[in-house]
């Protein structure tokens, strides 16, 4: 599915696209993928630039449109809980507005309209 369709699918069943903003959550997902031999090149997760979720924007300025997790927190570009693929986020051609897990391991800003699998998470009370 596209990022927007993935986002809608997750929310329609009471979940959200996975927010991997802590080392524990990141390791839980990447360990699960590796343990189950799931080797998918690109998987949508819960981060996007402004306008990506509602489809009002298809190009972005890296400075004016930072990445946010779907829980509203701004995404860090460095630090202990960041897992970026080398050289990313790079907003290649000003068209990469949606977050993906690249090679089942690292974050990458990618195209929003590319069809890819996705990971939802359910918040527990």
């Amino acid at each position: 599915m596209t990022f927007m369709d993935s986002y809608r699918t997750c929310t329609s069943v009471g979940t959200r696209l996975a927010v991997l903003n802590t080392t524990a959550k990141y390791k839980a997902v990447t360990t699960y993928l590796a343990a189950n031999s799931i080797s998918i090149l690109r998987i949508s997760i819960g981060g996007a630039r402004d306008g990506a979720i509602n489809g009002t924007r298809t190009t972005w300025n890296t400075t004016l449109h930072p990445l946010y997790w779907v829980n509203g927190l701004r995404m860090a570009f460095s630090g202990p809980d960041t897992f970026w693929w080398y050289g990313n986020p790079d907003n290649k051609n000003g068209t990469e507005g949606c977050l993906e897990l690249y090679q089942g391991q690292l974050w990458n800003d990618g195209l929003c309209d590319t069809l890819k699998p996705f990971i939802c998470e359910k918040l527990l009370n």
Side-chain angles (χ1 to χ4, degrees):
M1 293 187 174
T2 65
F3 182 87
M4 281 183 4
D5 289 339
S6 299
Y7 176 85
R8 288 184 191 127
T9 298
C10 290
T11 57
S12 74
V13 296
T15 63
R16 68 179 180 196
L17 280 169
V19 174
L20 306 183
N21 62 336
T22 68
T23 298
K25 286 172 70 174
Y26 168 80
K27 284 187 177 181
V29 169
T30 57
T31 299
Y32 175 84
L33 293 172
N36 291 284
S37 300
I38 300 171
S39 58
I40 299 169
L41 184 61
R42 300 171 188 277
I43 302 171
S44 290
I45 57 175
R49 297 186 195 279
D50 180 48
I53 292 172
N54 63 13
T56 59
R57 193 174 267 295
T58 57
T59 61
W60 294 271
N61 175 291
T62 303
T63 305
L64 298 176
H65 308 108
L67 286 156
Y68 287 89
W69 292 106
V70 294
N71 64 1
L73 297 175
R74 189 170 176 169
M75 200 170 296
F77 295 120
S78 63
D81 289 325
T82 59
F83 306 97
W84 289 104
W85 184 260
Y86 177 76
N88 279 283
D90 62 357
N91 192 22
K92 187 175 181 180
N93 300 318
T95 58
E96 295 185 327
C98 296
L99 194 65
E100 61 188 22
L101 197 57
Y102 185 70
Q103 294 185 347
Q105 298 176 13
L106 297 169
W107 302 345
N108 178 53
D109 58 332
L111 299 172
C112 298
D113 57 358
T114 301
L115 301 178
K116 16 182 158 166
F118 56 97
I119 301 172
C120 300
E121 69 176 354
K122 180 151 181 83
L123 301 177
L124 302 175
N125 295 338

